[in-house]
Amino acid sequence: MTFQRVMVTGGAGFIGTAVVQQLLDRKVSVLSLDALTYAASPEAVDGDGLPAGYRLEAGDVRDPADVARVLTEFQPDGVIHLAAESHVDRSIDGPQSFLETNVSGTFVVLETVTSWWRELGGPAREHFRLVHVSTDEVFGSLGPDDPPFTAETPYRPRSPYSASKAAADHFARAWHETYGLPVIVTNCSNNFGPWQFPEKFIPVVSPGRSPGSRFRSTVRATRSGTGSMSTITQSGLIAALERGTPGLTYLFGGRNEWANRALAELICDMLDGIAPDKRGARRKLLESVTDRPGHDSRYAIDPSLAEQELGWQPRHAFTDALRDTVQWYVDHRTWVEDRLAKLGGYRRRGLGESA
Ligand SMILES: NC(=O)c1ccc[n+]([C@@H]2O[C@H](COP(=O)([O-])OP(=O)(O)OC[C@H]3O[C@@H](n4cnc5c(N)ncnc54)[C@H](O)[C@@H]3O)[C@@H](O)[C@H]2O)c1
Protein backbone atom coordinates (compact mmCIF):
# COMPACT_ATOMS: atom_id res chain seq x y z
CA MET A 1 0.00 0.00 0.00
CA THR A 2 1.20 3.50 -0.67
CA PHE A 3 0.52 6.46 1.57
CA GLN A 4 0.21 10.08 0.43
CA ARG A 5 -0.32 11.98 3.68
CA VAL A 6 1.18 10.77 6.93
CA MET A 7 0.77 12.39 10.32
CA VAL A 8 3.72 11.77 12.66
CA THR A 9 3.29 12.47 16.36
CA GLY A 10 6.61 13.31 17.99
CA GLY A 11 7.92 14.13 14.51
CA ALA A 12 10.44 16.62 15.90
CA GLY A 13 12.19 14.01 18.06
CA PHE A 14 15.22 11.85 17.36
CA ILE A 15 13.46 9.01 15.52
CA GLY A 16 10.61 11.27 14.39
CA THR A 17 12.83 13.58 12.36
CA ALA A 18 14.45 10.58 10.64
CA VAL A 19 11.02 9.13 9.83
CA VAL A 20 9.82 12.49 8.53
CA GLN A 21 12.90 12.86 6.34
CA GLN A 22 12.47 9.38 4.87
CA LEU A 23 8.80 10.03 4.15
CA LEU A 24 9.61 13.36 2.48
CA ASP A 25 12.31 11.66 0.42
CA ARG A 26 9.57 9.35 -0.82
CA LYS A 27 7.44 12.38 -1.80
CA VAL A 28 4.90 11.73 0.97
CA SER A 29 3.25 14.82 2.52
CA VAL A 30 3.93 14.90 6.24
CA LEU A 31 2.45 16.71 9.22
CA SER A 32 4.25 16.47 12.55
CA LEU A 33 2.34 17.07 15.75
CA ASP A 34 4.92 17.72 18.43
CA ALA A 35 4.89 19.50 21.78
CA LEU A 36 8.50 20.62 21.16
CA THR A 37 9.79 19.52 24.55
CA TYR A 38 13.47 19.68 25.56
CA ALA A 39 14.04 16.51 23.45
CA ALA A 40 12.81 17.94 20.16
CA SER A 41 15.27 18.74 17.36
CA PRO A 42 13.10 20.19 14.61
CA GLU A 43 16.28 21.57 13.01
CA ALA A 44 17.11 18.01 11.93
CA VAL A 45 14.44 18.40 9.26
CA ASP A 46 13.93 22.07 8.64
CA GLY A 47 17.54 23.11 8.01
CA ASP A 48 17.20 26.53 6.39
CA GLY A 49 13.43 26.32 6.18
CA LEU A 50 10.66 23.76 6.13
CA PRO A 51 10.94 21.50 3.08
CA ALA A 52 8.11 21.27 0.56
CA GLY A 53 5.39 18.88 1.65
CA TYR A 54 6.17 19.27 5.36
CA ARG A 55 4.16 20.92 8.10
CA LEU A 56 5.24 21.08 11.74
CA GLU A 57 2.41 21.80 14.19
CA ALA A 58 3.14 22.58 17.81
CA GLY A 59 0.59 20.59 19.79
CA ASP A 60 0.15 18.11 22.57
CA VAL A 61 -1.03 14.52 22.18
CA ARG A 62 -2.61 14.81 25.62
CA ASP A 63 -5.00 17.42 24.23
CA PRO A 64 -7.87 15.95 22.17
CA ALA A 65 -8.49 19.34 20.57
CA ASP A 66 -4.92 19.49 19.19
CA VAL A 67 -5.12 15.97 17.80
CA ALA A 68 -8.62 16.46 16.34
CA ARG A 69 -7.64 19.77 14.75
CA VAL A 70 -4.69 18.35 12.79
CA LEU A 71 -6.60 15.23 11.76
CA THR A 72 -9.45 17.31 10.39
CA GLU A 73 -7.19 19.80 8.65
CA PHE A 74 -4.62 17.36 7.27
CA GLN A 75 -6.78 14.28 6.56
CA PRO A 76 -3.91 11.76 6.80
CA ASP A 77 -4.11 8.30 5.29
CA GLY A 78 -1.63 7.05 7.92
CA VAL A 79 -0.46 7.97 11.41
CA ILE A 80 2.86 7.02 13.02
CA HIS A 81 2.60 7.61 16.76
CA LEU A 82 6.03 8.31 18.25
CA ALA A 83 5.35 11.14 20.72
CA ALA A 84 6.59 10.12 24.14
CA GLU A 85 8.76 10.93 27.07
CA SER A 86 11.62 8.60 26.20
CA HIS A 87 14.43 8.77 28.74
CA VAL A 88 14.42 5.98 31.33
CA ASP A 89 16.53 7.91 33.84
CA ARG A 90 14.10 10.83 33.74
CA SER A 91 11.21 8.42 34.33
CA ILE A 92 12.86 7.36 37.58
CA ASP A 93 13.19 10.96 38.78
CA GLY A 94 9.74 12.07 37.63
CA PRO A 95 7.39 9.34 36.43
CA GLN A 96 4.24 11.46 36.20
CA SER A 97 4.96 13.02 32.82
CA PHE A 98 5.56 9.50 31.48
CA LEU A 99 2.13 8.43 32.64
CA GLU A 100 0.57 11.56 31.19
CA THR A 101 2.26 11.60 27.78
CA ASN A 102 2.91 7.94 27.11
CA VAL A 103 -0.30 6.49 28.53
CA SER A 104 -2.88 9.30 28.51
CA GLY A 105 -1.39 10.78 25.33
CA THR A 106 -1.64 7.45 23.55
CA PHE A 107 -5.20 7.05 24.83
CA VAL A 108 -6.11 10.48 23.42
CA VAL A 109 -4.48 9.66 20.07
CA LEU A 110 -6.37 6.35 19.84
CA GLU A 111 -9.71 7.85 20.89
CA THR A 112 -9.45 10.88 18.67
CA VAL A 113 -8.18 8.99 15.65
CA THR A 114 -10.96 6.40 16.07
CA SER A 115 -13.72 9.05 16.14
CA TRP A 116 -12.29 10.74 13.06
CA TRP A 117 -11.58 7.45 11.22
CA ARG A 118 -15.16 6.23 11.71
CA GLU A 119 -16.44 9.20 9.75
CA LEU A 120 -14.22 8.47 6.73
CA GLY A 121 -15.73 7.08 3.53
CA GLY A 122 -15.32 3.34 2.84
CA PRO A 123 -12.11 3.25 0.75
CA ALA A 124 -10.31 5.84 2.91
CA ARG A 125 -11.37 3.98 6.02
CA GLU A 126 -10.13 0.67 4.62
CA HIS A 127 -6.82 2.17 3.59
CA PHE A 128 -6.02 3.94 6.88
CA ARG A 129 -3.33 2.59 9.24
CA LEU A 130 -1.94 3.67 12.61
CA VAL A 131 1.56 2.52 13.60
CA HIS A 132 2.17 2.64 17.34
CA VAL A 133 5.87 2.82 18.19
CA SER A 134 7.15 1.09 21.30
CA THR A 135 10.28 -0.35 22.80
CA ASP A 136 11.75 -3.76 23.60
CA GLU A 137 12.07 -2.59 27.20
CA VAL A 138 8.43 -3.58 27.76
CA PHE A 139 9.64 -7.21 27.79
CA GLY A 140 11.96 -6.61 30.73
CA SER A 141 15.38 -8.05 31.31
CA LEU A 142 16.82 -11.19 29.68
CA GLY A 143 19.16 -13.62 31.37
CA PRO A 144 22.42 -14.45 29.59
CA ASP A 145 21.05 -17.61 27.98
CA ASP A 146 17.45 -16.55 27.37
CA PRO A 147 16.21 -16.51 23.78
CA PRO A 148 15.57 -13.10 22.20
CA PHE A 149 12.23 -11.32 22.56
CA THR A 150 9.45 -12.11 20.09
CA ALA A 151 5.93 -10.71 19.84
CA GLU A 152 4.84 -13.59 22.09
CA THR A 153 7.21 -12.72 24.93
CA PRO A 154 5.21 -11.72 28.04
CA TYR A 155 5.45 -8.11 29.13
CA ARG A 156 7.55 -7.51 32.25
CA PRO A 157 8.36 -3.79 32.36
CA ARG A 158 10.72 -2.77 35.15
CA SER A 159 11.06 1.01 34.89
CA PRO A 160 8.40 3.74 34.93
CA TYR A 161 9.29 4.40 31.27
CA SER A 162 8.81 0.82 30.13
CA ALA A 163 5.67 0.45 32.30
CA SER A 164 4.16 3.49 30.59
CA LYS A 165 5.07 2.15 27.15
CA ALA A 166 3.65 -1.28 28.04
CA ALA A 167 0.35 0.29 29.11
CA ALA A 168 0.25 2.28 25.87
CA ASP A 169 0.87 -0.90 23.83
CA HIS A 170 -2.03 -2.65 25.56
CA PHE A 171 -4.30 0.29 24.79
CA ALA A 172 -3.17 0.28 21.16
CA ARG A 173 -3.93 -3.43 20.74
CA ALA A 174 -7.24 -3.06 22.59
CA TRP A 175 -8.33 -0.33 20.16
CA HIS A 176 -7.72 -2.74 17.31
CA GLU A 177 -9.56 -5.64 18.96
CA THR A 178 -12.44 -3.62 20.39
CA TYR A 179 -13.04 -0.82 17.90
CA GLY A 180 -11.45 -2.30 14.78
CA LEU A 181 -8.93 0.55 14.40
CA PRO A 182 -6.20 -0.74 12.03
CA VAL A 183 -3.34 -0.53 14.53
CA ILE A 184 0.12 -2.04 13.97
CA VAL A 185 2.39 -2.20 17.02
CA THR A 186 6.18 -2.08 16.71
CA ASN A 187 8.84 -2.70 19.37
CA CYS A 188 12.43 -1.86 18.63
CA SER A 189 15.74 -1.91 20.44
CA ASN A 190 17.92 1.13 21.05
CA ASN A 191 18.51 3.41 18.11
CA PHE A 192 21.42 5.69 17.51
CA GLY A 193 22.36 8.37 15.06
CA PRO A 194 22.64 12.15 14.67
CA TRP A 195 20.37 14.57 16.54
CA GLN A 196 19.73 12.34 19.55
CA PHE A 197 19.36 14.44 22.67
CA PRO A 198 22.78 14.30 24.39
CA GLU A 199 21.66 12.48 27.49
CA LYS A 200 21.31 9.04 25.88
CA PHE A 201 24.09 6.49 25.92
CA ILE A 202 25.92 7.08 22.65
CA PRO A 203 25.81 10.90 22.66
CA VAL A 204 26.96 10.83 26.29
CA VAL A 205 29.92 8.60 25.56
CA SER A 206 30.65 10.36 22.29
CA PRO A 207 32.78 13.40 22.74
CA GLY A 208 30.62 16.42 22.10
CA ARG A 209 30.08 17.15 25.77
CA SER A 210 33.65 16.88 26.90
CA PRO A 211 36.06 17.84 24.17
CA GLY A 212 38.84 15.45 24.93
CA SER A 213 39.91 16.96 28.21
CA ARG A 214 37.25 15.74 30.62
CA PHE A 215 36.32 12.49 29.00
CA ARG A 216 34.06 10.60 31.30
CA SER A 217 31.24 8.24 30.72
CA THR A 218 28.29 6.95 32.59
CA VAL A 219 29.12 3.38 31.73
CA ARG A 220 27.06 0.95 33.68
CA ALA A 221 29.06 -1.71 35.39
CA THR A 222 26.99 -4.69 34.45
CA ARG A 223 26.26 -6.09 31.08
CA SER A 224 23.51 -4.47 29.10
CA GLY A 225 23.07 -5.97 25.70
CA THR A 226 21.93 -3.32 23.31
CA GLY A 227 20.31 -5.59 20.75
CA SER A 228 20.74 -3.75 17.53
CA MET A 229 21.32 -0.09 18.01
CA SER A 230 20.31 0.97 14.60
CA THR A 231 19.77 4.06 12.60
CA ILE A 232 17.34 2.15 10.47
CA THR A 233 14.31 1.57 12.63
CA GLN A 234 12.61 4.37 10.77
CA SER A 235 12.63 2.28 7.59
CA GLY A 236 10.97 -0.48 9.63
CA LEU A 237 8.24 1.88 10.78
CA ILE A 238 7.48 2.88 7.20
CA ALA A 239 7.55 -0.78 6.13
CA ALA A 240 5.10 -1.55 8.95
CA LEU A 241 2.83 1.24 7.75
CA GLU A 242 2.94 0.11 4.13
CA ARG A 243 3.00 -3.66 4.50
CA GLY A 244 2.09 -4.50 8.09
CA THR A 245 -1.02 -6.44 9.03
CA PRO A 246 -3.31 -4.60 11.45
CA GLY A 247 -3.42 -6.34 14.80
CA LEU A 248 0.10 -7.73 14.47
CA THR A 249 3.25 -6.72 16.31
CA TYR A 250 6.62 -6.35 14.60
CA LEU A 251 9.95 -6.30 16.40
CA PHE A 252 13.01 -4.58 14.94
CA GLY A 253 16.59 -5.34 15.90
CA GLY A 254 19.81 -6.17 14.10
CA ARG A 255 20.85 -9.41 15.84
CA ASN A 256 23.87 -7.56 17.14
CA GLU A 257 24.30 -7.45 20.92
CA TRP A 258 26.80 -5.25 22.68
CA ALA A 259 27.49 -4.85 26.36
CA ASN A 260 27.51 -1.19 27.41
CA ARG A 261 31.14 -1.37 28.51
CA ALA A 262 32.31 -2.92 25.23
CA LEU A 263 30.32 -0.38 23.26
CA ALA A 264 31.81 2.51 25.22
CA GLU A 265 35.29 1.12 24.56
CA LEU A 266 34.57 0.82 20.85
CA ILE A 267 33.42 4.44 20.78
CA CYS A 268 36.61 5.48 22.59
CA ASP A 269 38.70 3.67 19.99
CA MET A 270 36.78 5.33 17.17
CA LEU A 271 37.23 8.66 18.85
CA ASP A 272 40.96 8.09 19.22
CA GLY A 273 41.07 7.57 15.46
CA ILE A 274 39.07 10.72 14.76
CA ALA A 275 40.70 13.09 17.28
CA PRO A 276 43.61 11.61 19.28
CA ASP A 277 43.88 12.67 22.93
CA LYS A 278 47.33 13.66 24.17
CA ARG A 279 46.76 11.56 27.29
CA GLY A 280 46.56 8.40 25.21
CA ALA A 281 43.80 5.85 24.73
CA ARG A 282 40.46 7.15 25.94
CA ARG A 283 39.18 3.74 26.99
CA LYS A 284 41.54 3.99 29.97
CA LEU A 285 39.61 7.08 31.09
CA LEU A 286 36.25 5.33 31.22
CA GLU A 287 34.68 5.18 34.64
CA SER A 288 32.06 2.65 35.62
CA VAL A 289 29.11 3.83 37.65
CA THR A 290 26.42 2.05 39.60
CA ASP A 291 23.42 0.75 37.71
CA ARG A 292 20.20 2.67 37.87
CA PRO A 293 17.45 1.06 39.93
CA GLY A 294 15.49 -1.47 37.90
CA HIS A 295 18.37 -1.75 35.43
CA ASP A 296 17.70 -4.33 32.71
CA SER A 297 20.77 -6.47 32.20
CA ARG A 298 20.14 -7.60 28.64
CA TYR A 299 17.86 -7.00 25.67
CA ALA A 300 17.78 -8.95 22.43
CA ILE A 301 15.26 -9.08 19.62
CA ASP A 302 14.22 -11.74 17.15
CA PRO A 303 13.19 -9.68 14.11
CA SER A 304 12.14 -12.69 11.98
CA LEU A 305 8.54 -11.59 11.49
CA ALA A 306 9.58 -8.13 10.30
CA GLU A 307 12.15 -9.69 7.98
CA GLN A 308 9.71 -12.22 6.54
CA GLU A 309 6.48 -10.20 6.35
CA LEU A 310 7.76 -6.70 5.79
CA GLY A 311 10.93 -7.55 3.89
CA TRP A 312 12.79 -5.43 6.43
CA GLN A 313 16.57 -5.64 6.88
CA PRO A 314 18.96 -3.32 8.70
CA ARG A 315 20.39 -1.05 6.03
CA HIS A 316 23.76 -0.15 7.51
CA ALA A 317 26.66 -2.14 8.91
CA PHE A 318 26.76 -1.49 12.65
CA THR A 319 30.35 -0.26 12.95
CA ASP A 320 30.08 2.00 9.89
CA ALA A 321 26.90 3.59 11.23
CA LEU A 322 28.45 3.97 14.69
CA ARG A 323 31.61 5.59 13.32
CA ASP A 324 29.51 8.03 11.26
CA THR A 325 27.49 8.83 14.37
CA VAL A 326 30.55 9.44 16.54
CA GLN A 327 32.00 11.66 13.81
CA TRP A 328 28.70 13.55 13.66
CA TYR A 329 28.83 14.32 17.40
CA VAL A 330 32.44 15.46 17.05
CA ASP A 331 31.43 17.74 14.19
CA HIS A 332 28.36 19.04 16.04
CA ARG A 333 29.97 19.75 19.39
CA THR A 334 28.45 23.23 19.49
CA TRP A 335 24.97 21.82 18.97
CA VAL A 336 25.54 19.37 21.83
CA GLU A 337 26.88 22.05 24.16
CA ASP A 338 24.03 24.43 23.30
CA ARG A 339 21.38 21.81 23.93
CA LEU A 340 22.87 20.85 27.27
CA ALA A 341 23.43 24.48 28.31
CA LYS A 342 19.70 25.17 27.90
CA LEU A 343 19.07 22.53 30.57
CA GLY A 344 21.81 23.84 32.86
CA GLY A 345 24.41 21.30 31.70
CA TYR A 346 24.61 17.53 31.78
CA ARG A 347 23.94 15.63 34.96
CA ARG A 348 23.33 12.00 35.55
CA ARG A 349 19.69 11.28 36.33
CA GLY A 350 17.75 8.27 37.49
CA LEU A 351 19.64 7.39 40.64
CA GLY A 352 16.35 6.72 42.37
CA GLU A 353 16.72 9.37 45.04
CA SER A 354 13.91 11.76 44.27
CA ALA A 355 11.16 9.49 42.95
N1 LIG B 1 15.30 6.13 20.73
C1 LIG B 1 15.23 4.83 20.88
O1 LIG B 1 16.26 4.14 20.91
C2 LIG B 1 13.90 4.14 21.01
C3 LIG B 1 13.88 2.74 21.11
C4 LIG B 1 12.64 2.10 21.20
C5 LIG B 1 11.46 2.85 21.14
N2 LIG B 1 11.50 4.20 21.07
C6 LIG B 1 10.23 4.94 21.02
O2 LIG B 1 10.23 5.72 19.84
C7 LIG B 1 9.54 6.94 20.06
C8 LIG B 1 10.43 8.11 19.70
O3 LIG B 1 11.63 8.03 20.47
P1 LIG B 1 12.75 9.15 20.33
O4 LIG B 1 14.02 8.54 20.75
O5 LIG B 1 12.64 9.81 19.01
O6 LIG B 1 12.28 10.15 21.46
P2 LIG B 1 12.65 11.68 21.67
O7 LIG B 1 12.58 11.92 23.14
O8 LIG B 1 13.89 12.03 20.94
O9 LIG B 1 11.46 12.46 20.95
C9 LIG B 1 10.16 12.48 21.46
C10 LIG B 1 9.39 13.58 20.74
O10 LIG B 1 8.06 13.58 21.27
C11 LIG B 1 7.69 14.91 21.55
N3 LIG B 1 6.70 14.92 22.64
C12 LIG B 1 6.92 14.63 23.95
N4 LIG B 1 5.78 14.80 24.64
C13 LIG B 1 4.83 15.14 23.75
C14 LIG B 1 3.44 15.44 23.85
N5 LIG B 1 2.80 15.39 25.03
N6 LIG B 1 2.76 15.76 22.73
C15 LIG B 1 3.40 15.82 21.53
N7 LIG B 1 4.71 15.58 21.38
C16 LIG B 1 5.42 15.23 22.48
C17 LIG B 1 8.98 15.61 21.94
O11 LIG B 1 8.89 17.02 21.79
C18 LIG B 1 9.98 14.97 21.00
O12 LIG B 1 10.07 15.69 19.79
C19 LIG B 1 9.09 6.92 21.52
O13 LIG B 1 7.76 6.48 21.56
C20 LIG B 1 10.02 5.91 22.16
O14 LIG B 1 9.41 5.31 23.27
C21 LIG B 1 12.70 4.87 20.99
Side-chain angles (χ1 to χ4, degrees):
M1 284 167 69
T2 55
F3 289 78
Q4 310 291 325
R5 302 170 68 75
V6 175
M7 172 176 150
V8 180
T9 72
F14 164 55
I15 297 180
T17 50
V19 170
V20 167
Q21 193 58 62
Q22 277 204 12
L23 288 166
L24 293 173
D25 291 346
R26 298 159 75 110
K27 309 291 178 222
V28 177
S29 295
V30 182
L31 182 145
S32 285
L33 177 68
D34 196 296
L36 301 175
T37 68
Y38 79 96
S41 307
E43 65 273 24
V45 175
D46 62 13
D48 295 330
L50 286 188
Y54 183 46
R55 200 167 135 193
L56 173 60
E57 285 283 327
D60 197 319
V61 293
R62 295 169 298 182
D63 183 347
D66 279 355
V67 181
R69 174 174 53 82
V70 291
L71 285 168
T72 308
E73 283 174 23
F74 187 63
Q75 295 291 322
D77 51 5
V79 170
I80 302 180
H81 174 45
L82 290 140
E85 289 293 340
S86 69
H87 190 38
V88 179
D89 291 354
R90 284 177 185 268
S91 82
I92 294 167
D93 293 346
Q96 181 143 354
S97 61
F98 287 72
L99 175 73
E100 290 170 358
T101 289
N102 300 2
V103 186
S104 299
T106 298
F107 168 80
V108 167
V109 168
L110 292 166
E111 270 286 82
T112 315
V113 167
T114 302
S115 303
W116 165 84
W117 168 76
R118 282 183 164 149
E119 300 300 318
L120 293 176
R125 208 168 125 160
E126 280 290 303
H127 183 78
F128 179 80
R129 299 283 184 272
L130 185 149
V131 174
H132 168 72
V133 182
S134 187
T135 168
D136 60 359
E137 297 185 34
V138 295
F139 301 117
S141 185
L142 286 174
D145 301 320
D146 288 338
F149 303 131
T150 69
E152 278 71 49
T153 305
Y155 274 31
R156 289 199 181 89
R158 301 171 74 242
S159 71
Y161 165 69
S162 53
S164 69
K165 294 297 292 186
D169 296 6
H170 292 318
F171 274 99
R173 291 194 186 95
W175 256 245
H176 172 71
E177 298 296 336
T178 308
Y179 305 110
L181 189 69
V183 175
I184 296 155
V185 175
T186 64
N187 301 84
C188 60
S189 55
N190 297 84
N191 286 236
F192 68 87
W195 306 108
Q196 189 168 30
F197 189 78
E199 64 185 356
K200 302 274 175 75
F201 185 93
I202 286 181
V204 165
V205 180
S206 295
R209 178 167 67 78
S210 40
S213 58
R214 287 176 289 113
F215 189 80
R216 276 206 167 146
S217 85
T218 51
V219 186
R220 298 199 162 76
T222 59
R223 179 166 182 225
S224 177
T226 48
S228 131
M229 305 187 77
S230 68
T231 51
I232 38 63
T233 293
Q234 63 269 21
S235 64
L237 302 182
I238 296 170
L241 177 71
E242 292 179 341
R243 299 190 286 283
T245 304
L248 290 192
T249 295
Y250 299 93
L251 274 58
F252 300 102
R255 304 179 194 276
N256 179 25
E257 284 185 53
W258 282 78
N260 280 350
R261 177 89 206 181
L263 186 57
E265 288 176 353
L266 178 61
I267 293 172
C268 286
D269 296 347
M270 287 177 171
L271 199 47
D272 290 343
I274 294 168
D277 187 318
K278 58 181 182 318
R279 293 168 300 172
R282 285 179 174 84
R283 59 163 64 201
K284 291 196 193 126
L285 305 174
L286 286 172
E287 292 174 5
S288 290
V289 296
T290 50
D291 291 335
R292 62 186 167 211
H295 181 58
D296 295 328
S297 58
R298 181 181 164 230
Y299 310 116
I301 276 183
D302 176 354
S304 303
L305 189 66
E307 290 168 351
Q308 288 155 15
E309 280 208 7
L310 307 178
W312 175 84
Q313 286 286 336
R315 281 205 197 154
H316 306 284
F318 173 79
T319 44
D320 293 346
L322 183 64
R323 190 175 291 103
D324 289 350
T325 300
V326 172
Q327 180 74 59
W328 190 91
Y329 285 103
V330 171
D331 295 342
H332 291 75
R333 197 167 272 160
T334 310
W335 178 83
V336 171
E337 297 288 354
D338 286 352
R339 297 299 302 275
L340 288 173
K342 283 193 185 124
L343 290 184
Y346 175 81
R347 72 179 171 84
R348 189 172 176 218
R349 298 171 194 272
L351 299 172
E353 288 153 1
S354 52

